[in-house]
């Protein structure tokens, strides 16, 4: 077995172990502490402790699963954005795609939530539509970015990043403006959601976002060799027969879909798409067939662990997970800036 493949398997197993440990801490700790045997009994259907079943299946387990989906999706999307821009500082939040998806979700909350309030399937209909509205907002943002970043039918990566930063600022202001028009109850929910939170996780959120991760994650993984070629100069890629603009758009739209699905159910969580791919490359190298799954597992680990910290550090009060991740991510971003400057 090649040395890199062996290393890849070991790294995956270690990351899975970290996720299991973080999940165990998440399941057993909180305002209502449980022992490992309590969880095993519930999972095996031994005994009829309704309190334990409620806490595990209705509150903690959906939260853990949603954290894994969100972290994996943002980690994969970050790999794509950094790959096609050739910039390790590229991030879904920095490029404005998070903000675009956020505008789509908050617009849905403002314009359409009342329409579905009279339906008996309100929860299912609304939650299943959230990723679609987030995707529309993210796609519109991506189209604007591509329009302003394209010069002479070529995508200028520096212009793409600058355009994304500008749109991120403008769309953030628009989200705030729409949020202020919501009812007090909806505004409170939108404010928490905007900072990034999976406090209200449930199984409907999971079923609405999981197909996006599985389908688009598979599409992106199949394009791993193309992402490897993006490390070359564009004229070199064209000379070997790669349709660079077509591939960029396919990869960009796939990453937008992932980001939108994650943002719609967990809010605007930043820095995962920045940190996870960078850490993955340090661990496993630059081949994307290794980087993509490792980045997904790192992203999942970061979100699960951060959410555990968010719910316990100030218990009984709780921080949005996005704030905890930002506390970690901002120093890491500054470290990358300093490293790039010295390089």
């Amino acid at each position: 077995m090649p040395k890199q493949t062996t290393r890849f398997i070991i790294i995956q197993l270690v990351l899975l172990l970290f996720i299991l440990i973080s999940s165990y801490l998440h399941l057993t700790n909180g305002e209502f502490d449980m022992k490992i045997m309590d969880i095993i009994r519930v999972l095996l259907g031994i005994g009829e402790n309704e309190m334990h079943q409620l806490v595990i299946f209705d509150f903690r387990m959906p939260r853990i699963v949603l954290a894994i989906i969100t972290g994996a999706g943002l980690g994969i999307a970050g790999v794509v954005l950094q790959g096609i821009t050739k910039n390790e500082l590229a991030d879904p939040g920095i490029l404005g795609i998070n903000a675009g998806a956020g505008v789509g979700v908050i617009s849905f909350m403002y314009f359409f939530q009342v329409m579905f309030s009279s339906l008996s399937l309100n929860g299912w209909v609304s939650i299943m539509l959230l990723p679609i509205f987030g995707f529309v907002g993210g796609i519109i943002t991506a189209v604007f970015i591509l329009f302003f970043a394209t010069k002479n039918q070529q995508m200028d990566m520096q212009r793409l990043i600058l355009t994304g930063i500008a749109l991120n600022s403008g769309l953030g202001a628009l989200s705030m403006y729409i949020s202020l028009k919501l009812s007090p109850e909806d505004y409170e929910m939108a404010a928490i959601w905007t900072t990034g939170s999976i406090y209200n996780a449930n199984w409907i959120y999971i079923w609405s976002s999981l197909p996006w991760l599985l389908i688009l994650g598979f599409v992106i993984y199949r394009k791993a060799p193309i992402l490897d070629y993006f490390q070359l100069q564009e004229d070199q890629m064209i000379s070997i027969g790669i349709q660079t603009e077509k591939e960029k758009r396919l990869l960009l739209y796939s990453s937008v879909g992932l980001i939108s699905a994650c943002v719609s159910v967990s809010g605007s969580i930043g820095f995962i798409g920045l940190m996870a791919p960078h850490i993955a490359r340090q661990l496993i190298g630059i081949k994307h067939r290794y980087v993509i799954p490792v980045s997904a597992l790192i992203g999942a680990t970061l979100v699960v662990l951060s959410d555990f910290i968010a719910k316990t550090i100030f218990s009984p009060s709780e921080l949005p997970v996005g704030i905890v991740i930002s506390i970690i991510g901002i120093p890491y971003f500054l470290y990358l800036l300093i490293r790039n400057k010295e390089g």
Side-chain angles (χ1 to χ4, degrees), residues 60-74:
R60 293 183 183 173
M61 194 168 287
R63 194 163 168 171
I64 292 167
V65 176
L66 194 66
I68 291 171
I69 291 172
T70 300
L74 293 176

Side-chain angles (χ1 to χ4, degrees), residues 11-32:
I11 289 170
Q12 282 191 307
L13 292 174
V14 170
L15 289 171
L16 286 171
L17 179 62
F18 279 143
I19 292 173
L20 286 174
I21 292 172
S22 302
S23 299
Y24 164 75
L25 293 172
H26 214 312
L27 278 173
T28 55
N29 292 277
E31 290 187 46
F32 181 79

Side-chain angles (χ1 to χ4, degrees), residues 115-180:
M115 181 189 305
F116 293 101
S117 61
S118 61
L119 298 177
S120 60
L121 293 178
N122 177 35
W124 276 98
V125 173
S126 298
I127 293 171
M128 295 302 286
L129 282 175
L130 279 175
I132 297 174
F133 276 79
F135 180 71
V136 170
I139 283 292
I140 292 173
T141 304
V143 168
F144 269 98
I145 292 173
L146 287 173
F147 176 76
F148 289 109
T150 301
K151 185 177 181 181
N152 298 326
Q153 298 185 336
Q154 297 276 327
M155 194 186 298
D156 187 315
M157 292 305 154
Q158 297 303 318
R159 287 166 65 112
L160 182 139
I161 292 173
L162 291 174
T163 303
I165 292 171
L167 282 173
N168 185 45
S169 178
L171 291 169
L174 180 59
S175 291
M176 180 59 68
Y177 174 75
I178 298 173
S179 298
L180 292 172

Side-chain angles (χ1 to χ4, degrees), residues 166-213:
L167 282 173
N168 185 45
S169 178
L171 291 169
L174 180 59
S175 291
M176 180 59 68
Y177 174 75
I178 298 173
S179 298
L180 292 172
K181 293 184 171 293
L182 295 170
S183 66
E185 296 81 8
D186 289 340
Y187 173 77
E188 183 180 357
M189 183 179 71
I192 295 173
W193 175 86
T194 302
T195 58
S197 174
I198 53 177
Y199 174 77
N200 291 319
N202 58 55
W203 294 107
I204 305 176
Y205 279 9
I206 291 166
W207 291 118
S208 72
S209 56
L210 183 60
W212 295 71
L213 174 64

Side-chain angles (χ1 to χ4, degrees), residues 226 229 232-247:
I226 299 295
Y229 283 118
L232 304 173
Q233 295 298 320
E234 195 144 328
D235 55 350
Q236 293 177 306
M237 293 176 64
I238 293 171
S239 68
I240 58 178
I242 297 174
Q243 297 176 292
T244 56
E245 295 305 309
K246 177 184 175 183
E247 297 294 349

